[in-house]
Amino acid sequence: MRHARRRVVRRVTRLAAVGGLLLGGAMVAEAAMASEPPPASARPLGSAGDTGTALVARLGTARTAGNWVGADGRPVVAVTDDAAARAVRRAGAEAKVVSHSMDELKSATATLRSAPRVPGTAWAVDYRGNRVVVKGDRTVSAGDWSRLTRVAARIGGFVQMERTEGAFTTRLNGAQPILSAGGRCSAGFNVTDGRSDFILTAGHCGPAGAVWFADGQGDRQLGATVNSAFPGSDFSLVQYASGKAGPGADVVATGGGKGVRITGAADPAVGQRVFRSGSTSGLRDGRVTALNATVNYPEGTVTGLVETDVCAEPGDSGGPLFSEGIALGITSGGNGDCRTGGTTFFQPVTKAMSALGVRLIVSAQNAGGAGGDRSGAPSPAPAGSAGQGGMTPSAASPGSSAPVTGAPEGRTLLSRLTDTRNIGPGLLVIAGSLIALVATRYIRTEQDRRAYQRYYSATWG
């Protein structure tokens, strides 16, 4: 009976050791694979916008009039002559010959900016239509609209005037529970200057010195605004009260306890599918319709914005705009709502970070992703906000999903052991398993030798 028990113990030990070898090998292999850069097809930055932008830069603004992503995903470049069109086609992009160059279009917007300011108006270059579109909301009087129309007529027929529903306002909401001194906003992206961690959000949410709270009762101070630009631009930095924040910096919340992992930053392209998250309306999607837009808010004029057809509502200000895990902008303002639709403008995140001297905080395990500035610092709290009622659009994916907390409490022991960062523990598991195998083999050999001695001792006296 005792020998049977010993055999069972030895077999269990050997099986455990073999299992350890397999687990350790899997851990090491997975960690090694994680260190390799993702294949080109997995990189989040699309090549269509990059190709179009490079062609425009090479040909110049006197021979081109912008670029965008076509319905088939190919880059399209607007050109003013046949020679430029041939160069575009040779590069693998689609060429569209137009009448007005980017120099002419920019001259038109400069003339509009020099005219008397009219709150409630906005304009941007429509690359696909080769025109400048001027919009006026319901707050613009008939007299102001008539005067601005005369300015547009003097520029040329490629300046189109359009009346729009609602009013162009920042997406701040002072009637809801206040999370900052200026009103309720949404966190954008977590950034760092190498010494302290910050939330990058909209500038109109509050001036320097505005205090932010993580709850509506003001019991938990989150931090304070240390740098702000509005109007002109629309961005600000909220420094965490502790100087550092907890796990989850590389994740923006999209509602329902879910989030999207951010791996870098870039400038968007016209026609690109994008997603926005905010504390009021949750996750919403749409497309970029124009770049370098100008909006005349009641508080002042903001230029250089990204125009989209994504909806937004009061309280969404400062929330993140992203696509395929790439940070693109922070919510500034617009018109309409998420029931009737509307236009929303975003501060480009790359320009904001450059002006502020900060970079995105991205976890070390995502450092191999494409694009953007990144840091290996520990991940602070998730940016964005858990939206109420926002649903993930089914037609497109906003990027790789992730929990909004850094390490879910429900993680199993196996998921911890097979973490891609655990190559060291993997080697330890392999070493321990080998020792166990050698030990069981030695013990069995020693037991056999002693049994042999006892047998022959009894036989020969």
Side-chain angles (χ1 to χ4, degrees), residues 66-91:
N67 66 282
W68 60 93
V69 180
D72 59 356
R74 290 182 60 202
V76 183
V77 180
V79 295
T80 58
D81 60 75
D82 292 336
R86 288 192 295 271
V88 168
R89 296 187 187 104
R90 282 196 301 270

Side-chain angles (χ1 to χ4, degrees), residues 27-357:
M27 292 167 63
V28 172
E30 190 173 357
M33 288 172 61
S35 66
E36 293 294 323
S41 60
R43 293 186 183 275
L45 289 178
S47 61
D50 296 341
T51 301
T53 302
L55 286 168
V56 167
R58 179 159 62 89
L59 295 171
T61 54
R63 303 178 65 197
T64 62
N67 66 282
W68 60 93
V69 180
D72 59 356
R74 290 182 60 202
V76 183
V77 180
V79 295
T80 58
D81 60 75
D82 292 336
R86 288 192 295 271
V88 168
R89 296 187 187 104
R90 282 196 301 270
E94 181 181 343
K96 180 180 179 181
V97 180
V98 297
S99 302
H100 306 284
S101 69
M102 183 56 72
D103 288 345
E104 293 178 80
L105 298 173
K106 286 185 175 180
S107 176
T109 59
T111 301
L112 290 168
R113 281 197 299 272
S114 65
R117 180 177 176 274
V118 180
T121 59
W123 54 79
V125 176
D126 176 8
Y127 293 170
R128 285 171 284 198
N130 194 228
R131 60 183 181 170
V132 175
V133 179
V134 181
K135 297 179 180 180
D137 66 21
R138 59 175 172 77
T139 67
V140 179
S141 67
D144 284 341
W145 188 246
S146 179
R147 283 188 289 273
L148 195 57
T149 300
R150 289 196 292 270
V151 173
R154 288 195 296 270
I155 297 172
F158 62 92
V159 179
Q160 181 174 325
M161 306 294 288
E162 292 183 359
R163 279 288 199 173
T164 185
E165 299 294 328
F168 290 122
T169 61
T170 55
R171 302 283 87 176
L172 181 65
N173 191 342
Q176 297 292 332
I178 294 176
L179 298 182
S180 75
R184 181 167 71 91
C185 283
S186 299
F189 299 99
N190 285 300
V191 296
T192 183
D193 63 1
R195 299 180 301 276
S196 299
D197 297 340
F198 309 85
I199 297 172
L200 179 62
T201 187
H204 67 263
C205 289
V211 178
W212 290 64
F213 298 92
D215 63 324
Q217 290 72 41
D219 295 331
R220 292 185 295 135
Q221 183 174 336
L222 183 64
T225 302
V226 295
N227 199 332
S228 180
F230 179 79
S233 298
D234 195 0
F235 55 79
S236 65
L237 277 183
V238 176
Q239 184 174 17
Y240 283 102
S242 64
K244 297 291 180 182
D250 58 333
V251 176
V252 293
T254 55
K258 298 180 180 179
V260 169
R261 179 161 283 118
I262 301 299
T263 60
D267 293 320
V270 172
Q272 182 178 3
R273 190 69 172 272
V274 291
F275 293 81
R276 176 202 58 75
S277 184
S279 62
T280 300
S281 57
L283 181 66
R284 303 288 173 166
D285 73 309
R287 294 192 181 275
V288 175
T289 53
L291 303 175
N292 199 30
T294 296
V295 185
N296 293 298
Y297 295 125
E299 302 90 340
T301 300
V302 180
T303 62
L305 299 177
V306 178
E307 180 186 287
T308 74
D309 60 8
V310 185
C311 70
E313 296 184 356
D316 288 332
S317 278
L321 178 75
F322 52 92
S323 179
E324 299 298 325
I326 298 299
L328 300 174
I330 46 181
T331 307
S332 175
N335 71 317
D337 54 40
C338 289
R339 293 179 298 277
T340 61
T343 300
T344 304
F345 300 94
F346 297 85
Q347 167 70 52
V349 71
T350 55
K351 294 180 175 61
M353 291 194 301
S354 177
L356 294 167

Side-chain angles (χ1 to χ4, degrees), residues 405-459:
T405 52
E409 295 182 8
R411 289 185 72 186
T412 64
L413 176 62
L414 179 61
S415 66
R416 288 184 184 132
L417 287 175
T418 56
D419 191 290
T420 57
R421 292 166 291 182
N422 288 347
I423 188 169
L427 292 174
L428 290 176
V429 170
I430 292 175
S433 302
L434 288 172
I435 292 172
L437 282 175
V438 171
T440 55
R441 182 65 180 173
Y442 173 80
I443 292 172
R444 181 178 178 180
T445 302
E446 185 65 19
Q447 288 175 341
D448 290 342
R449 187 180 65 81
R450 290 178 180 176
Y452 180 86
Q453 288 177 340
R454 287 195 299 271
Y455 175 80
Y456 280 99
S457 295
T459 303

